[in-house]
Amino acid sequence: MRLGKKSHIMILVLAVLSLSVFSMFFQVPVAQSSPVVTAYKVVGTTDLGNPGSESFWSSIPWTNISLTANIPNAPTSGLTKYLLVKAAWNGSDLIFLLNWEAPKPAYNAWSAAAAGIYPPASGPGLFRLVELTPGVVYKVVDNSTFSSYVSIVNGKEEPGRIIFNYSGILLPAPNDTQIHVLSNGTIILFHSLRPMEKLLYGDGMFYGYYVNSTWYYPDRAAIMWYLGSGAPSTMTMVGMHIGGKYAGQVFDGFNFTYAGGSLKLPGGSANIWMWVSGATWNSSEDPAFKVNLWQNESDTGLSYTDLHNHGFAVPLFTNNTNMYEVDTSGIWYAPVKSSGLNDSLFYIWTGAKYSNGSWTVEYVYPLNVPSSYEPFFAHPSEGNIYYIAFAIWQGPLGESLFDKSIVPNWLTFEMVDHGYVPPTTTSLVSHIVIPTAVVTVTVVGVIVAILAIVIIAAVYRR
Amino acid sequence: MFSISKKINDWIEERLMLEDLPFFKTPDYMYKVNYWLGALVAGSFMYAVISGLLLLLYYEPSAGYTSTISIIDSIPYGSVVLYSHLYAAYAMIILAYTHMFYNYFHGAYKRPRELLWIIGVILLVLTLSASFMGYSLIGDVLAVSAVDVGAGIVSGLGLGFLNPILFGAYDSGDFTRVLALHIILVALIGLFFVLHFFLAESYGMMPSRKVKPKAPAVYTKEEWSKFNAWWPRNFVYMSSLIFLTWGFILAIPNALAYLSGYPTYLNPFLNPHPAPSPSSPAAMSVTAYPPWFFLFLFKIADFTSSYLIMVLIGAIIPLLWFILVPFIDRSAELDPMKRKVAVGVGLVFLTYFIQTTIWGAIAPAVPAKLSQLVLVFLPPPILIGLGLAFIKPRGTSPKSGTSPMISAAIFSALTLLFIGAFSMFSQYPSVLTAGAVIPLGILFALAGTKKVLNADQPSNSLPSTVTSIDVNKVNTKVKLAEIMIAILLIVSIALVAALWTIPPTGFLSNLFGIDLGIVFIMLGEAISLYHYVVYVAGKQSSTS
């Protein structure tokens, strides 16, 4: 009888104890949901001369988006760990504000493609330097087979063909290949070509892009829109192919099925808005703008009208095999159409600034897309779900081309017909996130401690 | 039936002069498993040594992983021996911890057993080290990453020059040095075990507190001479224990070898299979985790970036405590409630060990913030401290009042609520949080000074059990036991016959381990029943 009563009390006490433990975590969200980018309806116009300063941004919170390395093992990949994003729309334009920490801004580094249409261009970024994996050695083979080949080693021209050797894997380099060998034996490959990079990567010889204080690449940011119907077949960011300059390129005997940058996701296409600090940033730190490249219609074949001192974002279109530029000139990639896309290169306006160790880039996208652009551009509208992705390159740290920081998964995007409404829960603990593992071990600790005491009291006291 | 066995007994006893063995004579009440935990550890050790020597015949340390796989795939019963060798080590570790904590709470480290205790602690360290080396010999991606972590800790302590000496060229798959150290450490265990064993035999097993309530808890020569001699009863009892231990060591891992589909955090505990080779592409997808007995240390590495602090918290401080406890807790009291500090510290260590091990399994390599550490590690010492404070030793005069258990629980709940409210207040100072923390703080302070909770001790008197032995009952039990023995032996013979139908290699070969394990368990059980029939029941019927 007495024992029965005691055990009832014990159960009650244990219940009170568990309640008291859980009361500490009351209303605490256990895990953070994956970020969803929402564009809020705002009133106002943009000021691309001072991105982020517009008053409507102050009422919208940042969405923190984790980024990951696009090439997991390259030391220069995945250097931007997270990206802050805000989105808004005012009826005519869709506006994105991106912010990321960058210890060194890539001032004055050319985008190789932009430099390509401006012969007097000089300075960092004109071409890419690849650092080969430590342990890769080379040999200049000068025999009858390669008698027509010439190689440049440490600035000196030599007859013969360079053959790279990485633990027995041999990769012959094309004619006129230029390398520089550092004192520690590391090989730097000059004038790196896309298909060559694909071959180096395939043989494990691609270590990363080489940078030093005077040679580096522009910073970049890209927003990618999935253009397929419905959701992508996988939400995981399978990324883009590393490949040739264009699909079907034959390079040094190798046939490249895919163009570098084409979408790996089966059965989809995408529209990419690429901002480049060395080509599309209206600033004197941008070498292309510095020499008025875009105003010179004879160089570009396109008419750039600088109404409000702003830059632009290169519109790109990619399908499963190829990558195109959505305009008629083909500066970065082949033009998607040879006519009917007037001014489309400058369709997406941008403004950017670097301050306090971070980049802020604002994109303005007119929602009323001309019908000739439509097949290649995103056309978001209110109330629907879209799938987008982000990528960031920090050129001064060696990120360029396919070596970048990218979202691990597609993100959903939505335009809503109202401004930002803060969550209604006013709970004072709503901001504390306690991982489930911590809750579990705390509860385990309480249970074990109670059990231990009961055992000591009941068994050991005998 | 048993007269033949008596004759055999006598014959052996006479030839081997077993009566003159200097082994401890054992009182009747000690034939319970909790007095024999050390023997279970020794049994597991013996199994590990025997299976290890068998493996040594086939293991090629210069090609660690390939060799492990060839033992599993092509050596007859290789996987049976390998998996049971692994679980013998697991059993040894678990039983060693049990043995240690059991004796710790019984105060067995007190005079005159201080040296015995310290050698025991050294044996634990040696066992964990030898197990780590043995685990590494598998040569899979987990083993290599475990050694990486081990080598990282050594380097982190500024002793990086020792790494080639300790681990050799493990990262190129050569485990020669690791094997050598594994064997050296096991040999050291053997050496210290002999010392431990003979010291234990000379003091005798720790008597019950009812008989010897204070240190030094040893029987006098006169008392001792009246107890059961080592031969044959201890031998019989020990045989049953060893068969049972070996049976489980064989049966469990070989059965687990067929299990799959459990959550990954159970992998360190349940999976006897090796992981992929460190150089295979599959290795990329394997989450690195240490063997379960080092999960706690692995987790502590998430608390701090300093290896020195990690080793201090995870190894040096607990070890120092256990080595020094005989000199800290020097009173003659053996009752745990009369040495609350030592018992409290032991309970906190035990709780922390379990908590950190589980934490390491479910959230490996996830850094823990200070606030989380406080949340996880503050409640156990408070609960244990309060529990111990409210439980009085036996024999204190009873007073009326609330049951101490309830008071302790209410007080604990109050403490937790106060801590919760306080941490809330410190992070989000507001009128609301202050309103919660102040009244709870006052209640907590009042409860602490026992103004609110008038806690006290209920009556301790237990009805003393008067045992009257019914001869008829004993006879029935003996009959039943004899039938059971017969059945167990017959089934064992059938199982042994079935053993030879099991293929020596391939998927089905682990059934051999399960089968042999069950045979051992049955034999152990049969011997245990024999022990009951001959010694326990025999004595009862002769004394009644």
Side-chain angles (χ1 to χ4, degrees):
Chain A
M1 176 66 197
R2 203 181 141 73
L3 258 176
K5 198 175 166 192
K6 252 190 178 172
S7 59
H8 280 126
I9 293 169
M10 269 306 287
I11 290 166
L12 194 75
V13 166
L14 281 175
V16 169
L17 253 182
S18 339
L19 253 178
S20 69
V21 170
F22 281 107
S23 68
M24 295 170 70
F25 313 121
F26 187 65
Q27 276 203 344
V28 173
V30 172
Q32 206 169 18
S33 55
S34 63
V36 172
V37 181
T38 307
Y40 296 99
K41 183 81 184 279
V42 294
V43 178
T45 48
T46 54
D47 174 10
L48 292 178
N50 190 6
S53 66
E54 301 90 329
S55 60
F56 57 79
W57 288 128
S58 61
S59 62
I60 296 174
W62 289 108
T63 302
N64 189 333
I65 291 164
S66 298
L67 301 181
T68 181
N70 189 50
I71 333 175
N73 298 318
T76 50
S77 196
L79 301 173
T80 312
K81 302 295 176 205
Y82 66 93
L83 168 71
L84 301 175
V85 174
K86 288 184 187 188
W89 67 294
N90 58 11
S92 57
D93 295 323
L94 172 62
I95 314 150
F96 279 92
L97 191 65
L98 273 54
N99 177 281
W100 70 95
E101 281 180 24
K104 262 171 85 181
Y107 290 159
N108 295 313
W110 276 96
S111 156
I117 55 167
Y118 183 71
S122 69
L126 286 182
F127 50 84
R128 294 183 298 278
L129 300 178
V130 175
E131 183 174 346
L132 303 190
T133 308
V136 174
V137 291
Y138 77 98
K139 204 172 173 182
V140 182
V141 180
D142 182 19
N143 58 23
S144 55
T145 323
F146 301 136
S147 58
S148 61
Y149 278 77
V150 176
S151 304
I152 305 162
V153 179
N154 294 333
K156 214 176 120 239
E157 202 172 287
E158 291 181 29
R161 184 176 196 181
I162 289 177
I163 299 192
F164 296 117
N165 182 341
Y166 182 43
S167 306
I169 301 168
L170 299 179
L171 177 65
N175 196 12
D176 287 330
T177 291
Q178 183 180 350
I179 60 168
H180 186 86
V181 185
L182 301 181
S183 58
N184 63 3
T186 301
I187 300 169
I188 310 295
L189 174 71
F190 278 57
H191 298 281
S192 168
L193 300 165
R194 277 173 175 268
M196 192 60 199
E197 288 171 0
K198 158 78 176 162
L199 296 175
L200 288 169
Y201 184 74
D203 287 344
M205 298 187 197
F206 181 90
Y207 184 66
Y209 288 110
Y210 179 77
V211 278
N212 59 27
S213 58
T214 55
W215 192 268
Y216 47 90
Y217 316 99
D219 287 322
R220 294 204 245 177
I223 304 176
M224 176 159 75
W225 293 81
Y226 176 69
L227 295 184
S229 57
S233 54
T234 165
M235 286 303 278
T236 308
M237 179 49 62
V238 285
M240 327 297 278
H241 284 294
I242 303 169
K245 178 85 179 165
Y246 50 88
Q249 183 184 13
V250 177
F251 173 85
D252 217 32
F254 291 95
N255 194 334
F256 289 85
T257 324
Y258 310 107
S262 57
L263 193 65
K264 268 191 196 168
L265 186 79
S269 56
N271 173 214
I272 300 170
W273 307 345
M274 183 174 69
W275 172 84
V276 189
S277 73
T280 73
W281 179 29
N282 194 336
S283 156
S284 59
E285 309 288 359
D286 178 324
F289 270 91
K290 199 174 177 179
V291 300
N292 295 318
L293 179 70
W294 305 111
Q295 280 88 341
N296 191 341
E297 207 175 320
S298 61
D299 277 341
T300 61
L302 303 165
S303 59
Y304 173 81
T305 34
D306 185 3
L307 287 174
H308 302 289
N309 206 24
H310 45 52
F312 62 97
V314 180
L316 301 169
F317 175 79
T318 173
N319 57 28
N320 282 162
T321 52
N322 225 332
M323 181 90 155
Y324 303 95
E325 206 170 294
V326 189
D327 65 65
T328 52
S329 78
I331 297 167
W332 275 268
Y333 294 88
V336 73
K337 269 171 86 177
S338 55
S339 65
L341 291 171
N342 302 328
D343 303 330
S344 55
L345 183 64
F346 311 114
Y347 185 70
I348 306 153
W349 292 116
T350 60
K353 67 176 178 194
Y354 179 84
S355 62
N356 298 325
S358 67
W359 275 109
T360 305
V361 177
E362 186 164 342
Y363 286 75
V364 181
Y365 181 73
L367 285 165
N368 195 4
V369 183
S371 60
S372 56
Y373 297 9
E374 270 207 355
F376 318 110
F377 271 109
H379 16 94
S381 59
E382 185 227 313
N384 298 312
I385 296 288
Y386 301 89
Y387 299 90
I388 60 170
F390 294 92
I392 298 293
W393 291 256
Q394 294 199 38
L397 304 181
E399 280 178 330
S400 190
L401 217 62
F402 61 90
D403 191 349
K404 61 191 170 190
S405 308
I406 191 165
V407 287
N409 294 296
W410 288 97
L411 308 168
T412 53
F413 170 81
E414 193 183 4
M415 289 162 70
V416 293
D417 65 351
H418 55 79
Y420 174 70
V421 183
T424 43
T425 48
T426 49
S427 161
L428 52 103
V429 291
S430 64
H431 290 97
I432 305 170
V433 177
I434 300 172
T436 25
V438 174
V439 177
T440 311
V441 271
T442 308
V443 174
V444 165
V446 170
I447 292 168
V448 172
I450 292 170
L451 274 180
I453 277 295
V454 169
I455 290 169
I456 282 285
V459 182
Y460 274 78
R461 257 190 335 152
R462 276 192 315 217
Chain B
M1 174 176 168
F2 295 112
S3 63
I4 306 163
S5 70
K6 185 170 181 346
K7 273 183 187 164
I8 299 170
N9 264 346
D10 294 347
W11 190 89
I12 297 172
E13 189 174 330
E14 210 182 311
R15 301 304 178 282
L16 294 176
M17 293 171 286
L18 292 169
E19 242 186 358
D20 305 328
L21 276 179
F23 292 157
F24 179 69
K25 293 189 172 191
T26 314
D28 284 345
Y29 73 85
M30 283 193 186
Y31 292 100
K32 269 189 212 137
V33 73
N34 49 331
Y35 285 94
W36 294 76
L37 292 167
L40 296 185
V41 183
S44 319
F45 177 61
M46 278 179 347
Y47 186 92
V49 169
I50 295 167
S51 54
L53 289 173
L54 285 175
L55 290 170
L56 192 58
L57 297 175
Y58 296 97
Y59 182 73
E60 180 51 61
S62 60
Y65 185 73
T66 334
S67 177
T68 306
I69 295 302
S70 90
I71 287 175
I72 292 171
D73 289 343
S74 32
I75 306 292
Y77 308 113
S79 64
V80 174
V81 179
L82 185 65
Y83 296 165
S84 57
H85 182 68
L86 176 73
Y87 273 67
Y90 286 2
M92 191 174 160
I93 295 166
I94 295 170
L95 291 166
Y97 273 124
T98 316
H99 178 48
M100 182 180 88
F101 277 110
Y102 178 87
N103 283 314
Y104 180 88
F105 294 125
H106 273 107
Y109 51 78
K110 296 202 171 205
R111 198 159 68 90
R113 294 185 176 81
E114 296 97 330
L115 267 183
L116 177 63
W117 169 261
I118 291 167
I119 292 170
V121 177
I122 294 170
L123 274 168
L124 179 74
V125 176
L126 288 173
T127 304
L128 290 175
S129 318
S131 303
F132 178 75
M133 291 295 183
Y135 178 87
S136 307
L137 288 174
I138 300 168
D140 59 3
V141 58
L142 294 178
V144 172
S145 55
V147 185
D148 282 340
V149 173
I153 295 171
V154 175
S155 310
L157 296 174
L159 303 169
F161 65 94
L162 283 176
N163 277 332
I165 300 169
L166 288 173
F167 306 116
Y170 72 95
D171 41 4
S172 60
D174 182 352
F175 290 87
T176 313
R177 180 51 56 93
V178 180
L179 177 64
L181 268 179
H182 180 59
I183 296 172
I184 290 171
L185 286 166
V186 172
L188 280 175
I189 294 175
L191 192 75
F192 278 93
F193 168 70
V194 171
L195 264 173
H196 191 72
F197 177 76
F198 277 99
L199 278 176
E201 285 297 337
S202 63
Y203 305 131
M205 277 186 267
M206 182 81 181
S208 161
R209 215 168 42 250
K210 285 177 192 147
V211 189
K212 302 277 174 194
K214 302 238 162 150
V218 279
Y219 281 109
T220 59
K221 267 257 152 62
E222 297 92 295
E223 291 170 308
W224 184 70
S225 59
K226 289 176 208 146
F227 299 147
N228 305 298
W230 188 84
W231 180 269
R233 190 171 171 183
N234 276 13
F235 179 80
V236 170
Y237 191 72
M238 227 163 74
S239 306
S240 81
L241 289 180
I242 285 178
F243 268 117
L244 283 169
T245 315
W246 289 19
F248 285 114
I249 287 173
L250 266 165
I252 292 172
N254 284 294
L256 288 176
Y258 292 107
L259 200 70
S260 64
Y262 41 75
T264 43
Y265 58 81
L266 292 175
N267 244 333
F269 307 100
L270 294 186
N271 189 357
H273 299 285
S277 154
S279 56
S280 78
M284 295 284 286
S285 60
V286 175
T287 319
Y289 56 79
W292 64 265
F293 49 89
F294 278 133
L295 276 173
F296 77 102
L297 209 58
F298 189 60
K299 191 65 213 175
I300 293 171
D302 298 336
F303 301 167
T304 162
S305 52
S306 154
Y307 282 121
L308 187 68
I309 296 176
M310 171 198 161
V311 174
L312 267 177
I313 302 172
I316 295 172
I317 293 175
L319 280 177
L320 270 182
W321 169 262
F322 283 120
I323 286 175
L324 294 177
V325 73
F327 312 107
I328 297 169
D329 177 21
R330 292 170 62 173
S331 70
E333 294 296 345
L334 293 176
D335 187 329
M337 292 307 127
K338 288 179 180 163
R339 21 180 215 105
K340 287 181 174 173
V341 173
V343 168
V345 173
L347 289 178
V348 170
F349 275 148
L350 189 62
T351 314
Y352 282 177
F353 177 67
I354 294 170
Q355 274 182 300
T356 0
T357 299
I358 294 175
W359 203 353
I362 58 178
V366 179
K369 288 187 218 129
L370 186 65
S371 60
Q372 296 176 350
L373 295 183
V374 172
L375 179 64
V376 170
F377 293 125
L378 200 59
I382 291 176
L383 287 172
I384 288 165
L386 287 172
L388 288 174
F390 282 99
I391 304 167
K392 295 241 159 49
R394 299 256 170 212
T396 349
S397 60
K399 282 186 223 161
S400 63
T402 330
S403 152
M405 288 299 287
I406 297 166
S407 320
I410 294 173
F411 187 80
S412 310
L414 210 57
T415 312
L416 286 173
L417 280 171
F418 174 59
I419 296 167
F422 184 76
S423 50
M424 244 5 71
F425 175 69
S426 56
Q427 288 196 25
Y428 301 97
S430 74
V431 182
L432 191 65
T433 45
V437 77
I438 294 168
L440 280 169
I442 294 169
L443 273 175
F444 172 70
L446 286 176
T449 51
K450 296 188 188 176
K451 279 179 182 156
V452 171
L453 305 161
N454 180 18
D456 235 309
Q457 178 74 9
S459 164
N460 277 322
S461 57
L462 279 173
S464 58
T465 45
V466 181
T467 45
S468 61
I469 297 143
D470 185 339
V471 183
N472 286 335
K473 241 184 187 168
V474 170
N475 283 341
T476 330
K477 271 175 142 180
V478 167
K479 279 261 152 57
L480 209 66
E482 284 175 357
I483 295 166
M484 279 300 291
I485 293 172
I487 294 172
L488 284 169
L489 289 178
I490 291 164
V491 177
S492 298
I493 290 166
L495 282 177
V496 168
L499 268 182
W500 309 113
T501 64
I502 297 168
T505 53
F507 180 72
L508 291 175
S509 66
N510 292 102
L511 289 175
F512 186 93
I514 302 176
D515 192 331
L516 188 61
I518 294 171
V519 170
F520 277 5
I521 293 169
M522 287 180 156
L523 286 178
E525 193 50 43
I527 298 171
S528 171
L529 286 167
Y530 170 85
H531 173 264
Y532 170 79
V533 170
V534 176
Y535 301 104
V536 183
K539 226 169 202 176
Q540 281 172 354
S541 44
S542 65
T543 50
S544 64

